[in-house]
Amino acid sequence: MATQGSINHALSMTILAECSTSKARASVVRLPHALVDTPVFMPVGTQGTLKGLVPDQLRELDCRIMLGNTYHLGHRPGPDLLEKAGRQLFSYCFSFQDSGGFQMVSLLELAEITEEGVKFRSPHDGSEMLLTPEKSIEIQNSIGADIIMQLDDVVHSSVSGPRLEEAMYRTIRWLDRCIKAHQRPKDQCLFPIVQGGLDAELRTKCAHELIKRDVGGYAIGGLSGGEEKAEFWRMVKISTDLLPKEKPRYLMGVGFAVDLVVCVALGCDMFDCVFPTRTARFGCALVKTGQLNLKSKTFAKDFRPIDSECHCSTCQTYTRAYLHTLANTEPAACNIITVHNVAYQLELMRSMHQSILQDKFPNFVQQFFLTLFPQKGYPNWAVEALASVNIHLL
Amino acid sequence: MKFSVEKALSSGGRLGLITQASKCGNITLETPMCTLFTKGGSAPHLHMDMLKRVALVPDVAAMSLGSLADHHESVAEFGKGLGEFAAMKNKLVFTTLHDASLALATGKNDNSGVAVWGKGGKIKLDTALFMKVQEAFQPDWFQAMSDGDTDRECGQKRLHKSVDRTLDFLDEIVEKMQNSQILSKSSLIGVIEGGFSEVERVRSAKETALRPVQGFLIEGFEKGNSGKDLFSHDTFSNILTTTIKCLPEDKPRMMETVWSPLQVIKAFRLGIDVFSSAYPHTLAEQGLALVADYSLPPSSQAARLELGCTNPCTEDQTLYTDLNIKFFLCFTMPNFARGCILCFTMPNFPKGHNFHQYFDFFHHLRKAVLEDKLDELEQSLEQQNGNK
């Protein structure tokens, strides 16, 4: 019962199975450099590489897609070198995705936004750089990622009123400029971004506009910025309700296990987040029951691996007790825990993919939540969100 | 541990074999060699999984007590020694006092013991605690406790005291070792002190050589890693030579100094057998890559040994070495990348790459001596370094 998606783009999606209860689906996304099973989590590598990991390690984890940042790459090494070296720089990675506008929020004090584009001051050398939609696409064309992102006008999720409306409409205008500037549509798939903050009406308008354009997939942006979870999931659901079924939906900046499971149920296919790699740098390992803060004395004499069921090289090699000594002192710990955390995320996504194929996804969700919250102290928002797609926790 | 000389140079340097190197007695090592530099028992920034991919990794891992001593109770409970605890089961463990890449926090040693430093702060070791830690760690080799907090500026009185203390510590350790079943197979490495005083160096060397030690670690020329070139002191080479003459030939001599390949050659000529690999680590920390061709004759064009991150593209358009941005296009310079499987690894790349280069250098150093080509190797490196 496979449903074939668009064939006019560098990306095509085949839906392998749909959950008969929720909106979850299992697909395979074909990209120029990789076949990616979805739902998929994409680790973030700020300057084109995952902090603490080397390409071989990514390959062994069967990580086929990761995300890099146009903003950072645009500065260093800069477009000239990228032009020369091109995708070779990232040849170790099976696929690669790129975003443009988000750094505007994280580096907002450095940025000034006009209709023309975003003026940044480089945190590296203080020089000014105007990132226009055209420039963003030009850089992303030279990087050569399989999926590239439109430049969007991102506002913080707490912003509402005229500025939010302005940002949403500007995002659509910038999308048209991006589509026009895109030189390599056969090699790279351009994703527009649904904006509109926490305003259901704006988000609906935005989604309606985007689906008029001929694109290969859609991103849902402007969320996961610290807003109330009750609002977050509703905005996700509004977006997935409107976006066409046959194209991938990429929910930007989401990576906590609970959020991933809920949003897969709501119909999202792709996710990225710095969380698993960032938390590793603080000595935190992800497990099915939550997190282990390896810096804690609790682990000083715990000679088990992080997760005895995990097949990653970290769990095959190191004990919690040794990682406890390392996490408190040495940078090697970051690398070692990162390997496990990425393995954990990828395994979580694989399990969801499998359970959807077997049409056992609701059962997976129930077990997942029960393992994480054995006392059943489920977060309310998650209970509500899952109930909205007919999944009821045990 | 047993040491035999295979080939001796007139300058004092020698090719040697360390047999029965491990506690189990089954490992043979060739010298000159370097140990694997570690922090907290791991190669800095490198997952064990990645370290396995680096070629020619030394069989001995040097693990300094500073960051580890605090955890000796956990390791004791683990029961299988520090090597296995740190996932370095296949390596020989050489416990040293201090992190070779760092400067010492000075002024903390006294007659009762010495201070080592971890992230948690100072740990004061007396010989009782020192032995307790070693028994937990079960090293193959271990550096005796020593007061190496001296340098060129230290007066005769301070140096005298440092030698005395270090000998006193050694005597206490030797006595305690007789009652230690666990450490009966471990090799005790005596420590030579004396700063830049020839008199004290000779006394330290002769006295230490009288004790039941299996090798010698020479320190106390600088307070930890000073970042200065010891060979730039005109008396250093002479004092080192005089010191080494007081040591028996059938035991290995070690130095933990942060040395470039060229400096290693100089120290090797004077008779040092075992070196640290802290040098490639400290380079990588500064964003520098070790780039040289150690084969004879060099099969690639001349290049500087170290390429910095400033204006990387001005001299040679094929080299991009701004490691701050973590881009290193080794594939554009295949001659340098021979056998280097870590050249594209970005954040960890400098560590893996520099380690590989340094280990490769020791391989070529030994080969050059065997083939009587040490002068050629030194000249080749000097040329590549732009010293000529």
Side-chain angles (χ1 to χ4, degrees), chain A residues 138-253:
Chain A
E138 187 196 325
I139 295 170
Q140 296 190 65
N141 279 164
S142 66
I143 295 170
D146 289 29
I147 298 173
I148 63 176
M149 304 302 299
Q150 76 155 111
L151 184 68
D152 54 348
D153 184 357
V154 192
V155 293
H156 194 268
S157 55
S158 62
V159 172
S160 57
R163 174 66 188 104
L164 181 63
E165 194 169 348
E166 176 193 53
M168 189 277 281
Y169 283 112
R170 181 172 288 146
T171 294
I172 296 165
R173 291 193 295 275
W174 283 2
L175 170 62
D176 290 331
R177 285 167 61 186
C178 285
I179 292 173
K180 209 174 151 194
H182 188 14
Q183 296 295 311
R184 303 175 59 185
K186 289 217 154 49
D187 309 317
Q188 299 179 284
C189 182
L190 173 64
F191 274 31
I193 304 173
V194 182
Q195 288 293 355
L198 302 175
D199 185 321
E201 202 180 320
L202 284 181
R203 220 164 247 283
T204 307
K205 267 190 202 163
C206 188
H208 277 305
E209 279 302 315
L210 299 190
I211 57 181
K212 290 181 196 164
R213 275 79 175 168
D214 179 28
V215 289
Y218 301 89
I220 301 166
L223 295 173
S224 205
E227 68 280 356
E228 287 293 324
K229 286 287 188 186
E231 296 185 285
F232 159 79
W233 78 261
R234 287 189 169 86
M235 290 304 116
V236 173
K237 185 154 187 295
I238 285 171
S239 310
T240 56
D241 282 345
L242 294 167
L243 293 173
K245 205 179 89 175
E246 68 280 3
K247 289 181 184 175
R249 302 153 182 164
Y250 158 34
L251 180 56
M252 302 173 81

Side-chain angles (χ1 to χ4, degrees), chain A residues 318-346:
Chain A
Y318 297 98
T319 62
R320 294 175 179 186
Y322 179 60
L323 293 176
H324 167 74
T325 72
L326 266 195
N328 281 310
T329 51
E330 303 302 337
C334 148
N335 178 308
I336 294 167
I337 302 169
T338 300
V339 168
H340 168 77
N341 283 359
V342 172
Y344 168 85
Q345 297 285 108
L346 299 182

Side-chain angles (χ1 to χ4, degrees), chain B residues 87-98:
Chain B
M88 289 265 189
K89 201 174 160 184
N90 301 323
K91 297 284 169 219
L92 274 64
V93 171
F94 176 23
T95 46
T96 60
L97 278 183
H98 305 290

Side-chain angles (χ1 to χ4, degrees), chain A residues 56 300 314 318 322 329 335, chain B residues 40 42 47-48 53 74 119 348:
Chain A
D56 277 357
T314 294
Y318 297 98
Y322 179 60
T329 51
N335 178 308
Chain B
S42 280
H47 196 295
M48 189 32 132
R53 295 163 212 237
S74 297
K119 279 269 162 67
N348 302 335

